[in-house]
Structures are given as C-alpha cells and as structure tokens.
Amino acid sequence: MGPLTRDKRIALLDAPSNLGLRPPADGVAPGCYKAPWALRDAGLLPRLGANDAGAVVPPRYVSTWSPGAGVRNGRAIATYAGRLASRIGGILDAGELPVVLGGDCSILLGPALALRRRGRFGLAFIDAHDDFRHLGNSPHVGAAAGEELALVIGRGEDYLTDIDGLRPYFREEDIVAIGVRDPQIFADFTESDIALVSGVDGPADAARDVLVRDELDGFWIHVDADILDPSVLPAVDSPEPGGLSPDQLIDLLAGLLALPGAIGMELTVFDPDLDEDGAQAALLTDILVEAASRR
C-alpha cells in the first residue's frame, strides 16, 4: 500500500518532454527530458511508495526555429498534450493522485486539458517567471515553456489553446501565481484576474481563497524547479535570484496538498545535464518526499 495524499494514492507519471524549450546551443537538445530518470535514480518512486504510472513518450524535438514561425514544436506540443491528458485522466479515474515528472513547463497543457474535460478546476502556479508571453505583449512567440500560463487561459494559437473546443482550460480568477520574481513581468499579467502571492510566509493559506471555492471541482499544482533559489538549485533553464529555500518549498507544497481539492501536481524544468554529481536531483527528491509525508 502506498502513502495517501488525503484519500488518494500517488501515481508517478513521467512526461519527459523538452518540446517547449529553446536549445541551449545550436543543434543541442535541452536536458530537461532526463529529469524523470534522474529523480527515479535518486529513489523517488520507492521513497514515495507511489504506484508507477509509466511514461508518456513525446514526439521528436526539432531545434530549428525562426521568429515569426509560430510556436517552436507547437503541433507536437498539442499532440503530446492530448496524449498526456488521456493518461492523467486514467489515473484520476482510478482514484489516484498523479504526480507528473517533466520535462519542461509546456507539459502543463496535458493536465490542464485533462481537468477541463472533467469540469472546472483551479491552478496553483508556482514559478519564478510569469510565463505569460503571447502575441498581445510580444512581437513573436517561440518557446512554449515561456508562455504556458497564457496558453492555458486561452491566449495563443487555437491548436494549443482550444483543443477539443475547451478554451480556456483554466479561468483567470481560478489561478493563483506564487513566487513570481522575474523582473520582466508582463503588465497584462499583473492586470489580469490571476491572484499573485509573492511572499514566502503562509502562501498556501493565502492561496486557499482562490483554490478552495464551491465553484471549483479541485485544483492542480504546477511547480517549476526554478522557484528554488539558484544558490541551492541552479540546474534549471532560467535561474532567478531570490527564490525559496528547500524548507520553504516543502512547507508550501505540504500546505497545498493538504487543502481540500488538491488533485495532482507536476514538477518541471529541472535539467540533469546541469547537475553533474546528482546532488540537485537528490535535493528535489527529498523535497517531494517530505512534502508528501506532511500532507
């Protein structure tokens, strides 16, 4: 018997997609797709006592792109979102709580679609960046991992934002963004109906008013590893100073998982190529295990 998050057993699902990222160098694929393997090598599955839900294999990553060419790997991301949504839906049908290991932030489209098919859900968006780029505030869009929050509220190409005619996957007023510290925050993000929580004291309590409401059927938790301060975890695509400590992130996740309606979570953007000795994978594993144990 695995541990329970409230009344649900955890199911660990790999989403090893880097389709939403720009290449770190010409002809080089980002390393985020290796994150599920690194975390499993660090013992995440047995330490969680989780069911192994396997992996959803992504389409081929294509590194070539130019401004005006639309979203990098956009059609592949849409295809992957549909496949990931189906797998997550199956986990939810089994009464389990999915913990999805990315991969880059574009994997959020998968759970967003899965939940939209089931009803109206909220989103706890834990990220150092607002990831709100779209053609309304940028001359072009490229890497979907920098625009996934805009995509899931319906701002972007129809083939990404309106799969199955279900735009928007999340409503603005059902989202709380926690820990955004990117100095280049888009004005339309701060002027939206998305709630912002910037402090580190009691953010889960502050999120309750958004996420635990009669209108909602539950909520999903998105965690970008760059929420941690780069002094403790630099192995991410775009590190930003001033992030959370490991203990602060544990408190935040444990608090969110303990709220009524927590239905699943994902971890994104950890890059094992930047973690030569595996210490950062071990740290992330410790954080997830401790947060789950305190839910």
Side-chain angles (χ1 to χ4, degrees):
M1 298 288 288
L4 300 178
T5 298
R6 297 188 64 84
D7 58 345
K8 298 175 183 177
R9 186 167 303 142
I10 296 172
L12 201 63
L13 176 65
D14 296 354
S17 172
N18 55 10
L19 293 169
L21 289 173
R22 65 188 185 277
D26 289 344
V28 177
C32 288
Y33 74 97
K34 301 176 184 178
W37 308 335
L39 294 170
R40 285 173 179 260
D41 281 349
L44 181 59
L45 181 67
R47 289 183 63 192
L48 281 177
N51 289 340
D52 190 346
V56 181
V57 178
R60 181 171 64 95
Y61 177 86
V62 178
S63 62
T64 56
W65 179 85
S66 59
V71 177
R72 183 191 304 274
N73 295 306
R75 296 288 178 180
I77 290 170
T79 297
Y80 191 63
R83 291 167 51 197
L84 188 55
S86 295
R87 288 287 291 277
I88 292 171
I91 292 171
L92 295 174
D93 289 342
E96 298 174 324
L97 185 142
V99 172
V100 182
L101 304 178
D104 71 70
C105 289
S106 70
I107 69 165
L108 176 59
L109 287 171
L113 178 59
L115 296 179
R116 180 66 180 87
R117 287 170 174 171
R118 304 174 81 87
R120 178 177 172 182
F121 289 82
L123 174 65
F125 186 81
I126 304 170
D127 202 305
H129 307 90
D130 60 15
D131 290 355
F132 209 67
R133 184 176 57 245
H134 56 85
L135 289 177
N137 60 27
S138 180
H140 58 77
V141 296
E147 59 203 53
E148 81 278 0
L149 186 54
L151 291 172
V152 298
I153 67 166
R155 303 192 190 192
E157 298 282 357
D158 287 348
Y159 67 85
L160 288 168
T161 62
D162 198 26
I163 299 171
D164 296 346
L166 293 175
R167 176 171 41 207
Y169 310 131
F170 297 108
R171 304 185 191 190
E172 291 183 17
E173 63 267 28
D174 299 340
I175 299 172
V176 56
I178 301 171
V180 174
R181 59 190 191 274
D182 183 352
Q184 302 298 320
I185 295 175
F186 288 112
D188 58 337
F189 172 72
T190 58
E191 295 167 1
S192 73
D193 289 329
I194 296 171
L196 300 177
V197 176
S198 57
V200 298
D201 295 325
D205 291 337
R208 177 187 287 270
D209 290 343
V210 176
L211 301 174
V212 184
R213 303 182 357 250
D214 290 342
E215 299 94 327
L216 298 180
D217 298 305
F219 66 91
W220 185 263
I221 304 167
H222 162 86
V223 186
D224 187 322
D226 67 18
I227 194 66
L228 288 163
D229 192 84
S231 66
V232 295
L233 195 132
V236 296
D237 179 67
S238 299
E240 290 286 345
L244 301 186
S245 71
D247 285 344
Q248 288 170 333
L249 181 54
I250 290 168
D251 289 343
L252 172 57
L253 294 180
L256 289 171
L257 288 169
L259 291 177
I263 198 168
M265 65 174 288
E266 68 191 40
L267 176 69
T268 65
V269 175
F270 170 57
D271 188 341
D273 284 350
L274 305 176
D275 179 26
E276 293 184 0
D277 62 1
Q280 294 175 71
L283 174 62
L284 282 174
T285 297
D286 288 345
I287 290 170
L288 293 174
V289 171
E290 180 65 18
S293 74
R294 291 169 44 185
R295 62 206 179 278

